[in-house]
Amino acid sequence: MATTVRRTVLTLPAALVGPPNPLPALRPLDEMHSIDERAKQELPREMARQIGYEPLRTLLPVQVRDGYGRERTETGLDAIVIENERLRVTVLPGLGGRVHSLHHKPTGRELLYRNPVFQPADFALNGAWYSGGIEWNIGATGHTTLSCAPLHAALVPAPDGGRMVRLWEWERLRDLPLQVDLWLPADSDFLHVGVRIRNPHERPAPVYWWSNIAVEEHETTRVLAPAEEAWLPHSLHGVGGAPIGYERSLRRVPVPEFRGADRTYPLRSEYPADYFYEVPAEARKWIASLDADGQGLVQTSTDVLRGRKLFLWGSGRGGRRWQEWLTQPGTGGYAEIQAGLARTQLEHVRLDGGGEFSWLESYGPLAADPTAVHGDDWGAARAEAEARLADALPRAAVDAAYEAWRTCADAEPGEPLATGSGWGALEVLRGRHKLPGTPFDESTLGEEQAPWRELLNTGVFPVPRKVTPPGPSLVAPHWRDMLETAPAEPLTEYHLGVAQWHAGDLAQAVRSWERGLGLAPSRWPLLRCLAVADQEGGNAQRAADRYAEAFDDLCQERRDDGETWTSATVALGREAIDALLAVHRTADARAVWDRLGPAVRQRGRFRLIDARLLIAEGHLEQARAVFDAGFEVADLREGTEVLDEVWSQLTDEPLPDAYDYRMRPPTP
């Protein structure tokens, strides 16, 4: 059977992703990843340097996606199926290009954890993310901002004369084009994935990449990799179980046994943890997840993709609860085996101007002797898995496949399969970049890019024809330069301030926003930015004043109850209440709550806010009644402990299971 490619529709119970948050993301959603300077001195020099290289300060120019809920209906998702007589691969181009399923036809086995629902949750750098399959993480430490975004997709010639699927998009956090080619040779048990990241700019750029592979976990699931040690994030609250943003050091621990348990079995740990394997430079790069029968999935690659990692949820209540949250009760759990450009996910790798990184990954079934795989001899278990991998796909064959793929990497796409965003087309138009193989056609330019194209062509940022929340800001140096020389209209000053803030020039950003405020017909966007600046500067009282004024202005200006204005009201109202409660202005915070509208107030996030307001007002019984009635916070952030914190203000009783998402041991 020759390899075929076809478009189809995958029908799943799905929650809508919802509209983007219109407020510029001046801060990351998480506490910054950080390693103590003293701890860095104990790390390998290259690792310490890359941990300190260009960490993310803001999410700009990307918008936060927090408009989803928990209600799921049967929904058709655009999919691409790549199939030969051995494998059937299902890809979701509209949702980050994720490989949803990798089905091995001879054995009838699904090699991945295939989520039976599509449920966004607050795990990505910019919010919306979903679990399962193979995801392509580019940008910065964390799940990519492209998690729930559409990618361009088209057919291109494959090295063996067949066809392969190309995915490409402009990654906006680091301003770099991404290319992922999915190639399934006609007689192969392995899907080959060629990846290329190019830097078309003169300046160097920090690059982050991890391929995250969700695999089913059972009591007997074991993860194998060519390592005898691993790096484990060490938080202030104990070793392991550190949610995103809490790292303080990296500790080198033995593999497989650590603290009395074999940690290569994901369910033998109680709390979530990350194990970044120390793979020797000369070793073949691979990682596998095998069941009780020694069967499962293996991933291998060319040597550029050096890192390997196991993420496990653990067997504790919080980890189990998160897994149910990401799918539905009654479904099996999963772990993630991962592969990256660096040893750990705290690192970013420098890519010089005009340079590129490229490599090839291969995914397929592995069958090994279960006695050796699950024996007490870790060296023998690894050797057995690696020997069976060598039989199925020799290391030289992966290197040869990479060289063959490189001859097709610049091939121009043919039949289109899906369309991504217009941001890449805007950047190519501005920079006149030559990017063979990944065309960003002007036909993809849309409404969001229109004012920026006018700025590029005329030097003037246009005034909108109707009163509406401002669109997304662009912050790269070239756009900041254009804004600085454009006529100083209020909207231009707003976008200029956002770009200056992103560049770290906070004082100049404040001056731009204050200049715009004097003449702005729409004051609330500028006031909100100034309020954030006040918070960052430690002036909580003035921040609260500005938030209150901004929300008043928004309520007077909003034109309807449509999606755009509702999103602005929800986002600004939530921030305003937090700022007002921080300075104990409970009555003012309640006044904001009262103007949110009944439908918004019934959302889980705002039911929790209501409980906080009731506590601040001294109505503890009413606040307890909110919890007793039940609510779900759709955008509950990974690692957050806000439910536990609010509950503990009400009672000494244990936190109910429905609200228990704790990912680490209790604080001593």
Side-chain angles (χ1 to χ4, degrees):
M1 175 182 176
T3 299
T4 62
V5 179
R6 58 185 169 89
R7 282 181 286 187
T8 188
V9 174
L10 178 68
T11 301
L12 293 176
L16 297 175
V17 176
N21 185 322
L23 306 183
L26 301 177
R27 293 175 290 206
L29 295 184
D30 295 307
E31 177 185 336
M32 293 295 292
H33 295 262
S34 60
I35 297 293
D36 288 342
E37 288 303 316
R38 284 182 299 177
K40 283 185 184 180
Q41 297 174 9
E42 302 174 3
L43 301 177
R45 184 175 302 176
E46 179 191 38
M47 182 190 292
R49 182 178 67 252
Q50 292 181 164
I51 286 174
Y53 179 50
E54 297 288 339
L56 200 66
R57 290 189 57 256
T58 78
L59 290 176
L60 296 166
V62 176
Q63 292 178 289
V64 171
R65 302 301 299 263
D66 57 5
Y68 49 86
R70 298 283 299 169
E71 181 178 345
R72 297 191 287 263
T73 58
E74 291 293 316
T75 305
L77 304 175
D78 290 336
I80 300 169
V81 175
I82 312 167
E83 187 170 8
N84 66 9
E85 64 180 8
R86 312 289 297 175
L87 286 177
R88 183 168 58 247
V89 185
T90 305
V91 183
L92 302 178
L95 294 168
R98 186 169 308 197
V99 176
H100 172 73
S101 169
L102 193 61
H103 179 78
H104 188 233
K105 295 161 73 173
T107 60
R109 296 174 63 93
E110 173 59 49
L111 300 179
L112 303 174
Y113 169 74
R114 184 176 56 191
N115 198 330
V117 305
F118 172 69
Q119 176 57 63
D122 195 2
F123 278 58
L125 287 164
N126 64 328
W129 174 87
Y130 62 106
S131 65
I134 307 171
E135 59 174 312
W136 318 114
N137 285 289
I138 182 175
T141 300
H143 292 285
T144 177
T145 61
L146 296 172
S147 290
C148 292
L151 270 57
H152 301 283
L155 291 176
V156 293
D160 60 354
R163 299 185 298 177
M164 63 184 177
V165 173
R166 175 160 299 158
L167 305 167
W168 73 99
E169 187 49 277
W170 198 274
E171 200 289 307
R172 302 178 66 212
L173 286 181
R174 302 306 196 182
D175 215 16
L176 302 174
L178 160 71
Q179 173 183 339
V180 177
D181 288 352
L182 305 173
W183 170 31
L184 182 58
D187 58 349
S188 179
D189 277 309
F190 283 83
L191 171 70
H192 296 317
V193 182
V195 182
R196 179 162 64 165
I197 301 170
R198 287 180 279 189
N199 181 3
H201 311 292
E202 294 181 356
R203 64 183 185 276
V207 173
Y208 171 93
W209 179 276
W210 282 80
S211 302
N212 287 14
I213 309 131
V215 291
E216 290 189 1
E217 65 172 5
H218 307 282
E219 291 292 339
T220 56
T221 298
R222 192 177 204 187
V223 172
L224 299 102
E228 296 183 354
E229 293 181 308
W231 296 94
L232 178 66
H234 180 195
S235 77
L236 293 177
H237 301 275
V239 175
I244 294 295
Y246 283 83
E247 296 86 356
R248 289 295 178 266
S249 67
L250 285 166
R251 176 174 179 174
R252 196 191 294 255
V253 300
V255 175
E257 187 168 310
F258 173 59
R259 291 198 167 183
D262 187 329
R263 306 296 174 174
T264 61
Y265 290 88
L267 288 177
R268 295 187 185 177
S269 295
E270 183 177 2
Y271 294 97
D274 300 307
Y275 290 91
F276 298 100
Y277 294 118
E278 181 64 38
V279 179
E282 69 282 359
R284 183 176 184 180
K285 308 304 184 286
W286 62 274
I287 189 167
S289 173
L290 304 179
D291 64 14
D293 298 323
Q295 298 189 60
L297 173 78
V298 65
Q299 186 270 3
T300 187
S301 71
T302 49
D303 287 353
V304 168
L305 204 66
R306 63 177 296 183
R308 293 298 185 274
K309 173 194 165 185
L310 164 64
F311 167 75
L312 55 89
W313 283 106
S315 59
R317 185 166 65 172
R320 296 298 94 195
R321 187 73 182 92
W322 273 114
Q323 298 228 42
E324 292 177 355
W325 182 254
L326 295 170
T327 176
Q328 58 188 11
T331 57
Y334 74 95
E336 286 185 359
I337 57 176
Q338 305 180 11
L341 276 178
R343 281 185 175 94
T344 75
Q345 289 171 336
L346 300 178
E347 301 169 68
H348 299 93
V349 183
R350 176 185 170 114
L351 178 58
D352 290 331
E356 69 174 55
F357 291 136
S358 66
W359 63 89
L360 187 119
E361 308 179 41
S362 299
Y363 296 83
L366 189 67
D369 177 5
T371 303
V373 165
H374 297 285
D376 294 334
D377 187 333
W378 173 242
R382 289 180 4 236
E384 167 63 15
E386 187 155 357
R388 300 292 73 77
L389 172 59
D391 293 340
L393 186 68
R395 186 177 190 176
V398 176
D399 293 337
Y402 169 74
E403 296 299 333
W405 166 72
R406 286 292 300 175
T407 67
C408 299
D410 286 348
E412 287 304 305
E415 178 187 342
L417 300 172
T419 303
S421 78
W423 295 114
L426 183 67
E427 291 301 331
V428 168
L429 191 65
R430 183 212 60 81
R432 300 180 181 178
H433 303 304
K434 303 298 182 184
L435 297 167
T438 54
F440 293 93
D441 194 86
E442 287 189 39
S443 64
T444 61
L445 291 167
E447 184 179 346
E448 288 186 323
Q449 292 83 39
W452 298 95
R453 187 178 189 179
E454 186 167 336
L455 173 65
L456 177 63
N457 291 335
T458 69
V460 177
F461 197 90
V463 177
R465 296 176 182 176
K466 62 179 182 179
V467 177
T468 184
S473 298
L474 297 184
V475 297
H478 40 266
W479 294 109
R480 187 173 72 247
D481 292 344
M482 280 184 261
L483 290 167
E484 286 177 344
T485 57
E489 297 294 332
L491 186 57
T492 306
E493 295 288 0
Y494 163 82
H495 287 299
L496 174 58
V498 173
Q500 291 164 331
W501 181 274
H502 172 74
D505 193 349
L506 309 190
Q508 190 58 55
V510 168
R511 285 192 285 272
S512 295
W513 291 327
E514 288 176 339
R515 279 197 308 270
L517 192 62
L519 298 174
S522 179
R523 293 170 52 83
W524 65 267
L526 292 153
L527 285 166
R528 183 265 178 176
C529 290
L530 289 167
V532 173
D534 285 332
Q535 287 177 325
E536 293 296 294
N539 196 333
Q541 289 288 353
R542 190 167 66 184
D545 289 340
R546 281 176 161 159
Y547 266 121
E549 185 181 354
F551 192 76
D552 287 342
D553 187 68
L554 171 60
C555 290
Q556 294 173 27
E557 182 180 281
R558 59 178 292 167
R559 293 297 188 264
D560 53 48
D561 293 324
E563 185 178 83
T564 300
W565 283 108
T566 298
S567 297
T569 304
V570 167
L572 185 60
R574 175 177 167 179
E575 289 187 11
I577 290 172
D578 284 343
L580 290 162
L581 284 179
V583 295
H584 310 293
R585 288 169 56 175
T586 307
D588 291 335
R590 177 61 75 181
V592 172
W593 159 269
D594 289 338
R595 285 176 287 172
L596 288 172
V600 171
R601 292 198 297 265
Q602 287 304 309
R603 297 184 185 185
R605 169 61 63 181
F606 288 93
R607 296 295 294 148
L608 176 61
I609 289 174
D610 187 26
R612 294 172 55 210
L613 284 167
L614 289 166
I615 291 171
E617 293 163 341
H619 305 310
L620 299 188
E621 290 185 5
Q622 291 175 254
R624 172 64 184 264
V626 172
F627 276 84
D628 291 343
F631 59 88
E632 288 186 324
V633 181
D635 61 333
L636 194 67
R637 188 68 176 164
E638 179 191 15
T640 186
E641 297 178 353
V642 63
L643 292 170
D644 184 36
E645 292 165 0
V646 176
W647 176 261
S648 66
Q649 296 177 56
L650 296 172
T651 177
D652 292 331
E653 297 174 21
L655 183 67
D657 285 352
Y659 303 114
D660 191 352
Y661 296 87
R662 291 172 292 191
M663 295 174 64
R664 55 181 175 174
T667 304

PDB file of all heavy atoms in Angstrom, residues 294-318:
ATOM      1  N   GLY A 294       6.295  -5.605  27.461  1.00  0.00           N
ATOM      2  CA  GLY A 294       7.473  -5.080  26.783  1.00  0.00           C
ATOM      3  C   GLY A 294       7.154  -4.371  25.484  1.00  0.00           C
ATOM      4  O   GLY A 294       8.055  -4.139  24.667  1.00  0.00           O
ATOM      5  N   GLN A 295       5.892  -3.983  25.272  1.00  0.00           N
ATOM      6  CA  GLN A 295       5.493  -3.339  24.036  1.00  0.00           C
ATOM      7  C   GLN A 295       5.054  -1.904  24.287  1.00  0.00           C
ATOM      8  O   GLN A 295       4.545  -1.569  25.361  1.00  0.00           O
ATOM      9  CB  GLN A 295       4.349  -4.113  23.377  1.00  0.00           C
ATOM     10  CG  GLN A 295       4.723  -5.528  22.988  1.00  0.00           C
ATOM     11  CD  GLN A 295       3.639  -6.176  22.155  1.00  0.00           C
ATOM     12  OE1 GLN A 295       3.297  -5.699  21.080  1.00  0.00           O
ATOM     13  NE2 GLN A 295       3.095  -7.276  22.655  1.00  0.00           N
ATOM     14  N   GLY A 296       5.260  -1.063  23.276  1.00  0.00           N
ATOM     15  CA  GLY A 296       4.851   0.329  23.418  1.00  0.00           C
ATOM     16  C   GLY A 296       5.431   1.192  22.324  1.00  0.00           C
ATOM     17  O   GLY A 296       5.647   0.735  21.193  1.00  0.00           O
ATOM     18  N   LEU A 297       5.716   2.433  22.669  1.00  0.00           N
ATOM     19  CA  LEU A 297       6.195   3.442  21.719  1.00  0.00           C
ATOM     20  C   LEU A 297       7.651   3.776  21.989  1.00  0.00           C
ATOM     21  O   LEU A 297       8.069   3.879  23.151  1.00  0.00           O
ATOM     22  CB  LEU A 297       5.364   4.724  21.847  1.00  0.00           C
ATOM     23  CG  LEU A 297       5.865   5.924  21.039  1.00  0.00           C
ATOM     24  CD1 LEU A 297       5.464   5.771  19.570  1.00  0.00           C
ATOM     25  CD2 LEU A 297       5.310   7.229  21.586  1.00  0.00           C
ATOM     26  N   VAL A 298       8.411   3.973  20.916  1.00  0.00           N
ATOM     27  CA  VAL A 298       9.769   4.497  21.032  1.00  0.00           C
ATOM     28  C   VAL A 298       9.886   5.741  20.167  1.00  0.00           C
ATOM     29  O   VAL A 298       9.274   5.822  19.089  1.00  0.00           O
ATOM     30  CB  VAL A 298      10.821   3.440  20.623  1.00  0.00           C
ATOM     31  CG1 VAL A 298      10.703   3.079  19.148  1.00  0.00           C
ATOM     32  CG2 VAL A 298      12.223   3.916  20.955  1.00  0.00           C
ATOM     33  N   GLN A 299      10.621   6.716  20.662  1.00  0.00           N
ATOM     34  CA  GLN A 299      10.958   7.913  19.894  1.00  0.00           C
ATOM     35  C   GLN A 299      12.463   8.007  19.847  1.00  0.00           C
ATOM     36  O   GLN A 299      13.151   7.799  20.866  1.00  0.00           O
ATOM     37  CB  GLN A 299      10.371   9.167  20.554  1.00  0.00           C
ATOM     38  CG  GLN A 299      10.541  10.455  19.769  1.00  0.00           C
ATOM     39  CD  GLN A 299      11.838  11.217  20.084  1.00  0.00           C
ATOM     40  OE1 GLN A 299      12.661  10.762  20.869  1.00  0.00           O
ATOM     41  NE2 GLN A 299      12.007  12.370  19.481  1.00  0.00           N
ATOM     42  N   THR A 300      13.014   8.276  18.662  1.00  0.00           N
ATOM     43  CA  THR A 300      14.451   8.463  18.500  1.00  0.00           C
ATOM     44  C   THR A 300      14.676   9.620  17.540  1.00  0.00           C
ATOM     45  O   THR A 300      13.735  10.097  16.900  1.00  0.00           O
ATOM     46  CB  THR A 300      15.124   7.174  18.007  1.00  0.00           C
ATOM     47  OG1 THR A 300      16.542   7.334  18.014  1.00  0.00           O
ATOM     48  CG2 THR A 300      14.662   6.793  16.610  1.00  0.00           C
ATOM     49  N   SER A 301      15.909  10.087  17.449  1.00  0.00           N
ATOM     50  CA  SER A 301      16.170  11.270  16.627  1.00  0.00           C
ATOM     51  C   SER A 301      17.643  11.350  16.262  1.00  0.00           C
ATOM     52  O   SER A 301      18.481  10.622  16.803  1.00  0.00           O
ATOM     53  CB  SER A 301      15.773  12.543  17.383  1.00  0.00           C
ATOM     54  OG  SER A 301      16.682  12.792  18.453  1.00  0.00           O
ATOM     55  N   THR A 302      17.954  12.269  15.365  1.00  0.00           N
ATOM     56  CA  THR A 302      19.342  12.643  15.145  1.00  0.00           C
ATOM     57  C   THR A 302      19.847  13.378  16.377  1.00  0.00           C
ATOM     58  O   THR A 302      19.068  13.813  17.233  1.00  0.00           O
ATOM     59  CB  THR A 302      19.467  13.508  13.882  1.00  0.00           C
ATOM     60  OG1 THR A 302      18.495  14.565  13.927  1.00  0.00           O
ATOM     61  CG2 THR A 302      19.241  12.682  12.625  1.00  0.00           C
ATOM     62  N   ASP A 303      21.152  13.534  16.489  1.00  0.00           N
ATOM     63  CA  ASP A 303      21.755  13.935  17.750  1.00  0.00           C
ATOM     64  C   ASP A 303      21.504  15.383  18.158  1.00  0.00           C
ATOM     65  O   ASP A 303      21.702  15.727  19.326  1.00  0.00           O
ATOM     66  CB  ASP A 303      23.270  13.685  17.712  1.00  0.00           C
ATOM     67  CG  ASP A 303      23.607  12.203  17.797  1.00  0.00           C
ATOM     68  OD1 ASP A 303      22.679  11.400  18.027  1.00  0.00           O
ATOM     69  OD2 ASP A 303      24.787  11.857  17.628  1.00  0.00           O
ATOM     70  N   VAL A 304      21.078  16.234  17.210  1.00  0.00           N
ATOM     71  CA  VAL A 304      20.812  17.635  17.576  1.00  0.00           C
ATOM     72  C   VAL A 304      19.767  17.715  18.684  1.00  0.00           C
ATOM     73  O   VAL A 304      19.853  18.554  19.580  1.00  0.00           O
ATOM     74  CB  VAL A 304      20.369  18.442  16.337  1.00  0.00           C
ATOM     75  CG1 VAL A 304      19.807  19.797  16.733  1.00  0.00           C
ATOM     76  CG2 VAL A 304      21.546  18.617  15.379  1.00  0.00           C
ATOM     77  N   LEU A 305      18.780  16.827  18.634  1.00  0.00           N
ATOM     78  CA  LEU A 305      17.742  16.794  19.666  1.00  0.00           C
ATOM     79  C   LEU A 305      18.271  15.956  20.830  1.00  0.00           C
ATOM     80  O   LEU A 305      17.969  14.777  20.956  1.00  0.00           O
ATOM     81  CB  LEU A 305      16.455  16.213  19.083  1.00  0.00           C
ATOM     82  CG  LEU A 305      15.154  16.600  19.785  1.00  0.00           C
ATOM     83  CD1 LEU A 305      14.876  18.084  19.641  1.00  0.00           C
ATOM     84  CD2 LEU A 305      13.987  15.790  19.245  1.00  0.00           C
ATOM     85  N   ARG A 306      19.015  16.596  21.714  1.00  0.00           N
ATOM     86  CA  ARG A 306      19.826  15.879  22.694  1.00  0.00           C
ATOM     87  C   ARG A 306      19.084  15.512  23.965  1.00  0.00           C
ATOM     88  O   ARG A 306      19.429  14.537  24.636  1.00  0.00           O
ATOM     89  CB  ARG A 306      21.032  16.733  23.078  1.00  0.00           C
ATOM     90  CG  ARG A 306      20.684  18.048  23.756  1.00  0.00           C
ATOM     91  CD  ARG A 306      21.912  18.834  24.188  1.00  0.00           C
ATOM     92  NE  ARG A 306      22.681  18.145  25.201  1.00  0.00           N
ATOM     93  CZ  ARG A 306      23.768  18.649  25.782  1.00  0.00           C
ATOM     94  NH1 ARG A 306      24.206  19.848  25.431  1.00  0.00           N
ATOM     95  NH2 ARG A 306      24.416  17.965  26.683  1.00  0.00           N
ATOM     96  N   GLY A 307      18.089  16.283  24.370  1.00  0.00           N
ATOM     97  CA  GLY A 307      17.452  16.100  25.669  1.00  0.00           C
ATOM     98  C   GLY A 307      16.368  15.039  25.659  1.00  0.00           C
ATOM     99  O   GLY A 307      15.706  14.810  24.657  1.00  0.00           O
ATOM    100  N   ARG A 308      16.170  14.358  26.797  1.00  0.00           N
ATOM    101  CA  ARG A 308      15.067  13.434  26.981  1.00  0.00           C
ATOM    102  C   ARG A 308      14.514  13.631  28.394  1.00  0.00           C
ATOM    103  O   ARG A 308      15.266  13.899  29.336  1.00  0.00           O
ATOM    104  CB  ARG A 308      15.501  11.975  26.785  1.00  0.00           C
ATOM    105  CG  ARG A 308      15.902  11.611  25.358  1.00  0.00           C
ATOM    106  CD  ARG A 308      14.766  11.769  24.365  1.00  0.00           C
ATOM    107  NE  ARG A 308      15.078  11.332  23.025  1.00  0.00           N
ATOM    108  CZ  ARG A 308      15.666  12.076  22.083  1.00  0.00           C
ATOM    109  NH1 ARG A 308      16.044  13.312  22.357  1.00  0.00           N
ATOM    110  NH2 ARG A 308      15.876  11.597  20.868  1.00  0.00           N
ATOM    111  N   LYS A 309      13.198  13.453  28.512  1.00  0.00           N
ATOM    112  CA  LYS A 309      12.559  13.762  29.794  1.00  0.00           C
ATOM    113  C   LYS A 309      11.352  12.873  30.021  1.00  0.00           C
ATOM    114  O   LYS A 309      10.670  12.467  29.083  1.00  0.00           O
ATOM    115  CB  LYS A 309      12.097  15.228  29.793  1.00  0.00           C
ATOM    116  CG  LYS A 309      11.258  15.638  31.009  1.00  0.00           C
ATOM    117  CD  LYS A 309      10.562  16.961  30.792  1.00  0.00           C
ATOM    118  CE  LYS A 309       9.474  17.174  31.829  1.00  0.00           C
ATOM    119  NZ  LYS A 309       8.694  18.393  31.605  1.00  0.00           N
ATOM    120  N   LEU A 310      11.083  12.582  31.276  1.00  0.00           N
ATOM    121  CA  LEU A 310       9.840  11.953  31.714  1.00  0.00           C
ATOM    122  C   LEU A 310       9.088  12.949  32.588  1.00  0.00           C
ATOM    123  O   LEU A 310       9.635  13.462  33.568  1.00  0.00           O
ATOM    124  CB  LEU A 310      10.121  10.680  32.516  1.00  0.00           C
ATOM    125  CG  LEU A 310       8.945  10.131  33.348  1.00  0.00           C
ATOM    126  CD1 LEU A 310       7.782   9.702  32.458  1.00  0.00           C
ATOM    127  CD2 LEU A 310       9.409   8.979  34.241  1.00  0.00           C
ATOM    128  N   PHE A 311       7.846  13.234  32.210  1.00  0.00           N
ATOM    129  CA  PHE A 311       6.939  13.957  33.107  1.00  0.00           C
ATOM    130  C   PHE A 311       5.884  12.980  33.588  1.00  0.00           C
ATOM    131  O   PHE A 311       5.262  12.271  32.787  1.00  0.00           O
ATOM    132  CB  PHE A 311       6.251  15.129  32.412  1.00  0.00           C
ATOM    133  CG  PHE A 311       5.088  15.666  33.228  1.00  0.00           C
ATOM    134  CD1 PHE A 311       5.315  16.429  34.356  1.00  0.00           C
ATOM    135  CD2 PHE A 311       3.783  15.347  32.885  1.00  0.00           C
ATOM    136  CE1 PHE A 311       4.258  16.882  35.132  1.00  0.00           C
ATOM    137  CE2 PHE A 311       2.717  15.804  33.650  1.00  0.00           C
ATOM    138  CZ  PHE A 311       2.950  16.571  34.777  1.00  0.00           C
ATOM    139  N   LEU A 312       5.679  12.951  34.893  1.00  0.00           N
ATOM    140  CA  LEU A 312       4.673  12.065  35.463  1.00  0.00           C
ATOM    141  C   LEU A 312       3.738  12.856  36.376  1.00  0.00           C
ATOM    142  O   LEU A 312       4.151  13.801  37.055  1.00  0.00           O
ATOM    143  CB  LEU A 312       5.332  10.911  36.214  1.00  0.00           C
ATOM    144  CG  LEU A 312       6.336  11.266  37.321  1.00  0.00           C
ATOM    145  CD1 LEU A 312       5.649  11.439  38.666  1.00  0.00           C
ATOM    146  CD2 LEU A 312       7.413  10.192  37.426  1.00  0.00           C
ATOM    147  N   TRP A 313       2.479  12.469  36.357  1.00  0.00           N
ATOM    148  CA  TRP A 313       1.494  13.079  37.246  1.00  0.00           C
ATOM    149  C   TRP A 313       1.547  12.470  38.642  1.00  0.00           C
ATOM    150  O   TRP A 313       1.138  13.110  39.613  1.00  0.00           O
ATOM    151  CB  TRP A 313       0.093  12.899  36.678  1.00  0.00           C
ATOM    152  CG  TRP A 313      -0.254  13.814  35.552  1.00  0.00           C
ATOM    153  CD1 TRP A 313      -0.352  13.506  34.230  1.00  0.00           C
ATOM    154  CD2 TRP A 313      -0.529  15.213  35.664  1.00  0.00           C
ATOM    155  NE1 TRP A 313      -0.685  14.630  33.509  1.00  0.00           N
ATOM    156  CE2 TRP A 313      -0.803  15.685  34.361  1.00  0.00           C
ATOM    157  CE3 TRP A 313      -0.583  16.113  36.722  1.00  0.00           C
ATOM    158  CZ2 TRP A 313      -1.130  17.016  34.092  1.00  0.00           C
ATOM    159  CZ3 TRP A 313      -0.900  17.440  36.465  1.00  0.00           C
ATOM    160  CH2 TRP A 313      -1.172  17.875  35.162  1.00  0.00           C
ATOM    161  N   GLY A 314       1.999  11.229  38.727  1.00  0.00           N
ATOM    162  CA  GLY A 314       2.033  10.557  40.010  1.00  0.00           C
ATOM    163  C   GLY A 314       0.693   9.931  40.365  1.00  0.00           C
ATOM    164  O   GLY A 314      -0.314  10.101  39.676  1.00  0.00           O
ATOM    165  N   SER A 315       0.694   9.213  41.454  1.00  0.00           N
ATOM    166  CA  SER A 315      -0.488   8.464  41.873  1.00  0.00           C
ATOM    167  C   SER A 315      -1.330   9.197  42.903  1.00  0.00           C
ATOM    168  O   SER A 315      -2.371   8.691  43.329  1.00  0.00           O
ATOM    169  CB  SER A 315      -0.060   7.114  42.453  1.00  0.00           C
ATOM    170  OG  SER A 315       0.809   7.322  43.573  1.00  0.00           O
ATOM    171  N   GLY A 316      -0.894  10.368  43.340  1.00  0.00           N
ATOM    172  CA  GLY A 316      -1.610  11.103  44.381  1.00  0.00           C
ATOM    173  C   GLY A 316      -2.924  11.683  43.898  1.00  0.00           C
ATOM    174  O   GLY A 316      -3.239  11.716  42.707  1.00  0.00           O
ATOM    175  N   ARG A 317      -3.694  12.205  44.847  1.00  0.00           N
ATOM    176  CA  ARG A 317      -5.035  12.694  44.548  1.00  0.00           C
ATOM    177  C   ARG A 317      -5.009  13.877  43.591  1.00  0.00           C
ATOM    178  O   ARG A 317      -5.813  13.955  42.662  1.00  0.00           O
ATOM    179  CB  ARG A 317      -5.739  13.083  45.853  1.00  0.00           C
ATOM    180  CG  ARG A 317      -7.196  13.485  45.646  1.00  0.00           C
ATOM    181  CD  ARG A 317      -7.943  13.534  46.953  1.00  0.00           C
ATOM    182  NE  ARG A 317      -7.430  14.578  47.842  1.00  0.00           N
ATOM    183  CZ  ARG A 317      -8.019  14.931  48.986  1.00  0.00           C
ATOM    184  NH1 ARG A 317      -9.109  14.297  49.372  1.00  0.00           N
ATOM    185  NH2 ARG A 317      -7.507  15.878  49.740  1.00  0.00           N
ATOM    186  N   GLY A 318      -4.057  14.812  43.801  1.00  0.00           N
ATOM    187  CA  GLY A 318      -4.003  15.986  42.936  1.00  0.00           C
ATOM    188  C   GLY A 318      -3.698  15.635  41.492  1.00  0.00           C
ATOM    189  O   GLY A 318      -4.332  16.141  40.557  1.00  0.00           O
TER     190      GLY A 318
END
